[in-house]
């Protein structure tokens, strides 16, 4: 009781051939973000502020698929989305279709705190951003060489790339089994570069839970496509009992309302956090591939995934800390 | 067991003094749509087709806040959203920010059936509609004089109007609504189950009067305003923010599954958790039960089951 805990993720589903340097790079970033979160918690910042702070850091770094470094749409542009939720009163905010807002998670926070609504998208969200005076940049700021390359290859293969998947031709959900990817970039399979969603969940010393998720979405997605990250109950959820952030196949996460599921199973079935996470990953995903991080009001932290790997890190007040990929 | 169907035209603070010229056309609309749905079920159409058909009818009816008759954004425009879900396959489709598509629910269906995605919005959704050859019109088609008037009133009052509410004295932070005697129209929805236990749900709306451009409500959010699985199908209506944070539609099914409650008990339980005056829903179960609880003053609703029961109502809260 009364102990804080924090977890971060940089996406579920990692190519087993991911070069060591990329793994180390990811772990360094995750560790850095955990440290930022831990300092904030030690300074008694409330959970809702901590998740925003940490996700901003993940958005700003181009390594993962959010903010700078976001995956590109089929038009070669960036359309970012994010959501944030505050456990105590289940207040929430979400945004989609952002192309000039430097930190989508902060705009989601402003939607929650400063607008009469819960979710704003596209030009309406951009207008709100201007009025709120948040930092805006040109769309080019977000675009990295890696992502331009990935889009080109994805178009050549006429496929849509998921957060982590080895590219499949046509619709999602097909070919869940790992196969040799025919697409290469700089001599490595393209999936190595497949970008991932980011997220953070926190419970502070007062037992308040919060969660936030941010992403650029799928490489080569249709303009206007919205995934699970901004959808409350799917990619993000927080209530009195827990805070959850998910990553992986967006459509599978939406169908299974994955984030809410963890809370529902705790609330209605009386499971504790690790049991709830385990239950949900085992029973709710069917053929879908996804992962999640979660904290409970009791200071527990748990991660679960049915993908090959998930970039993640977690820490608790008693000194436990772990960063992992597999 | 047997088929069952329910439709709604929105929950809110519908004044008991609602004048006949506002009440009768809506009741007639509900009756008509219910009959369309019943006929489709009797003809053994799949529930997914039934709910889409019924919601199309509701969208085309200017007395309801969906399709033609949608409430207006703060800019005087129309931004419609819709969502459909199949309980057996858990496939779903949703759209937001649609301004020229005559039937948003059919666009949501196409997103579900013809793309690898679940949710398309704004320009992307409009472009997809054209690619698919859906019927599109000038936005003015959807705008009615009543809604122009509602927007004017809301802007004068500088408040955001909801489905239906009467003026509340204290500060209401989120999606606070204001009402006058004219019941603002609400979201529409339909849920259906056939005699094999296949379930489906569909919801469609213009949103809330004077909403910010780009505002998305609960309707297209799976688990909030719309949800179906092998146990039940739900369509919710009321204050979007409360429905989103309460994950209302999902929770009804979760409570049935995890607490073993019946459809009626589960639906009542979930509605009870929501602050009074905020929400209502219609639901059917795989075994042909139907329930329509709400904690607002009223909810335009109708339902029918294969054994001959049918009901059309506005008031009389059935949460007890």
């Amino acid at each position: 009781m009364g102990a804080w805990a924090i977890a971060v993720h940089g996406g579920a589903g990692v190519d087993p051939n991911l070069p060591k340097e990329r793994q180390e790079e990811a772990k360094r970033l995750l560790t850095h973000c955990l440290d930022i979160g831990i300092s904030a918690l030690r300074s008694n910042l409330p959970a809702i502020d901590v998740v925003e702070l940490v996700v901003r850091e993940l958005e700003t770094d181009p390594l993962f698929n959010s903010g700078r470094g976001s995956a590109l749409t089929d038009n070669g542009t960036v359309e970012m989305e994010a959501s944030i939720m505050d456990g105590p009163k289940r207040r929430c905010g979400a945004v989609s279709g952002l192309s000039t807002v430097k930190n989508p998670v902060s705009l989601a926070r402003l939607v929650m705190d400063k607008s009469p609504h819960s979710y704003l998208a596209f030009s309406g969200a951009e207008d709100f951003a201007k009025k709120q005076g948040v930092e805006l940049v040109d769309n080019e700021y977000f675009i990295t060489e890696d992502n331009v390359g990935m889009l080109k290859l994805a178009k050549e293969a006429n496929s849509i790339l998921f957060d982590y998947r080895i590219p499949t031709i046509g619709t999602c959900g097909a070919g869940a089994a790992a196969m040799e990817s025919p697409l290469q970039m700089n001599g490595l399979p393209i999936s190595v570069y497949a970008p991932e969603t980011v997220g953070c969940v926190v419970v502070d010393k007062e037992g308040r839970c919060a969660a936030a998720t941010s992403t650029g979405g799928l490489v080569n997605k249709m303009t206007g496509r919205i995934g699970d990250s901004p959808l409350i109950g799917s990619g993000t959820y927080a209530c009195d009992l827990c805070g959850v952030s998910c990553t992986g196949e967006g459509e599978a996460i939406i169908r299974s309302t994955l984030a809410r599921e963890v809370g529902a199973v705790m609330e209605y079935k009386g499971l504790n956090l690790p049991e709830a996470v385990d239950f949900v990953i085992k029973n709710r995903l069917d053929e879908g591939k996804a992962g999640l991080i979660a904290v409970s009001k009791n200071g527990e932290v748990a991660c679960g995934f049915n993908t090959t790997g998930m970039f993640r890190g977690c820490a608790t007040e008693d000194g436990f800390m772990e960063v992992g990929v597999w | 067991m047997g088929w069952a169907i329910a439709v709604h035209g929105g929950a809110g603070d519908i004044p008991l003094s609602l004048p006949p010229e506002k009440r009768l056309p809506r009741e007639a609309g509900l009756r008509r749509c219910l009959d369309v749905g019943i006929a489709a079920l009797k003809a053994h159409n799949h529930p997914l087709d039934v709910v889409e058909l019924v919601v199309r009818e509701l969208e085309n009816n200017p007395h309801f806040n969906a399709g033609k008759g949608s409430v207006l954004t703060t800019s005087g425009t129309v931004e419609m959203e819709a969502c459909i879900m199949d309980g057996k396959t858990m496939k779903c489709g949703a759209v937001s920010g649609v301004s020229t598509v005559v039937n948003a629910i059919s666009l949501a269906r196409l997103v579900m059936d013809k793309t690898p995605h679940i949710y398309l919005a704004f320009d992307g959704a409009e472009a997809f509609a054209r690619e698919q050859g859906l019927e599109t019109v000038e936005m003015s088609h959807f705008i009615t004089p009543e809604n122009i008037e509602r927007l004017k009133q809301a802007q004068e009052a500088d408040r955001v109007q909801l489905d239906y509410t009467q003026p509340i004295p204290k500060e209401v932070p989120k999606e606070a609504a204001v009402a006058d005697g004219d019941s603002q129209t609400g979201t529409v929805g339909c849920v259906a189950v056939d005699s094999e236990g296949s379930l489906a749900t569909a919801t469609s709306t213009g949103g809330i009067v004077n909403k910010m451009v780009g505002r998305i409500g609960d309707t297209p959010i799976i688990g909030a305003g719309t949800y179906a699985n092998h146990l039940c199908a739900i369509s919710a209506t009321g204050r979007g923010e409360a429905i989103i944070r309460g994950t209302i539609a999902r929770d009804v099914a979760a409570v049935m599954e995890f607490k073993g409650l019946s459809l009626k008990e589960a639906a009542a339980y979930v509605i009870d958790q929501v602050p009074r005056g905020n929400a209502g829903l219609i639901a059917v179960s795989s075994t042909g039960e139907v329930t329509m609880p709400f904690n607002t003053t009223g909810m335009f609703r109708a339902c029918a089951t294969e054994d001959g029961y049918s009901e059309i109502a506005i008031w009389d809260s059935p949460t007890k």
Side-chain angles (χ1 to χ4, degrees), chain B:
Chain B
M1 287 233 348
W3 58 255
I5 179 172
V7 306
H8 74 74
D13 197 6
I14 307 167
L16 289 158
S17 55
L18 187 67
E21 63 269 17
K22 299 215 178 330
R23 178 173 54 86
L24 295 172
R26 287 174 193 146
E27 279 175 352
L30 288 171
R31 179 169 287 113
R32 197 169 153 273
C33 291
L34 187 70
D35 287 343
V36 163
I38 291 170
L41 280 166
K42 283 180 169 158
H44 303 291
N45 285 304
H46 190 279
L48 206 53
D49 296 327
V50 175
V51 300
E52 183 189 353
L53 185 63
V54 171
V55 170
R56 284 174 66 95
E57 288 295 326
L58 289 161
E59 285 171 338
N60 296 341
N61 186 319
H63 296 290
F64 296 108
N65 175 15
K68 192 175 169 125
S70 281
V71 297
L72 307 180
T73 69
T74 195
S75 300
T77 55
V78 156
E79 284 178 3
M80 302 172 285
E81 39 198 23
C83 183
I84 189 164
M85 188 161 187
D86 178 339
K88 181 166 268 158
T89 61
M90 307 282 289
K91 288 180 59 168
C92 37
V95 291
S96 282
V98 166
S99 313
T100 67
V101 177
V102 175
N103 292 104
I105 193 64
S106 295
L107 185 61
R109 178 89 192 256
L110 286 171
V111 172
M112 177 175 95
D113 287 343
K114 298 278 168 70
T115 74
H117 303 317
I118 282 177
Y119 192 3
L120 287 182
F122 293 88
D123 291 350
E126 292 271 335
F128 177 64
R130 278 160 183 79
E131 257 172 58
Q132 293 291 315
L134 269 196
E135 193 185 351
T136 57
V137 291
E138 291 285 316
M139 191 167 62
S140 52
H141 161 92
F142 304 100
I143 300 177
T144 60
E146 291 82 7
N147 280 303
I148 293 176
E149 184 54 35
R150 284 194 185 102
L151 178 62
K152 186 154 162 286
Q153 286 174 10
Q155 287 179 332
E156 276 160 13
D158 194 36
R159 278 172 289 189
V160 169
Q161 286 189 341
L162 259 205
D163 282 0
Y164 315 87
T165 40
Q166 288 168 7
I168 313 162
K170 56 184 187 331
E171 195 68 78
V172 184
K174 279 287 185 184
E175 304 207 324
V178 136
D180 39 24
D182 176 13
S183 54
Q184 296 88 336
T185 52
T187 300
V188 303
C190 179
V191 292
V193 59
D194 64 17
S195 47
E196 260 110 69
S198 293
L199 292 145
T201 174
T203 316
S204 180
T205 189
I208 54 179
V209 176
N210 203 25
K211 65 181 180 179
M212 288 171 73
V213 167
R215 176 261 188 188
I216 291 176
D218 64 284
T219 293
I221 302 189
I222 299 291
T226 308
Y227 185 78
N229 66 6
H230 63 286
L231 289 172
C232 58
I234 296 102
S235 171
T237 163
R239 215 159 271 185
E241 208 258 347
I243 295 170
I244 290 172
R245 81 147 97 86
T247 54
I248 304 251
R250 174 69 190 107
D251 272 30
V252 174
V255 163
M256 284 181 78
E257 181 175 353
F258 299 134
K259 284 169 89 88
L261 299 194
S262 70
L263 179 77
K264 204 180 160 90
E265 290 166 337
Y269 177 91
V270 169
I271 289 292
D272 270 349
Q273 304 299 307
V274 181
R276 260 210 101 63
N278 277 263
L281 64 90
I282 56 173
V284 287
S285 72
S286 60
T287 54
E289 302 159 285
V290 64
T291 186
M292 306 188 290
F294 52 95
N295 68 11
T296 48
T297 308
M299 180 168 77
F300 287 108
R301 64 199 187 280
C303 68
T305 54
E306 189 166 4
D307 61 10
Y309 176 77
S310 89
E311 178 191 334
I312 298 186
I314 303 174
W315 300 282
D316 302 328
S317 168
T319 49
K320 304 290 163 276

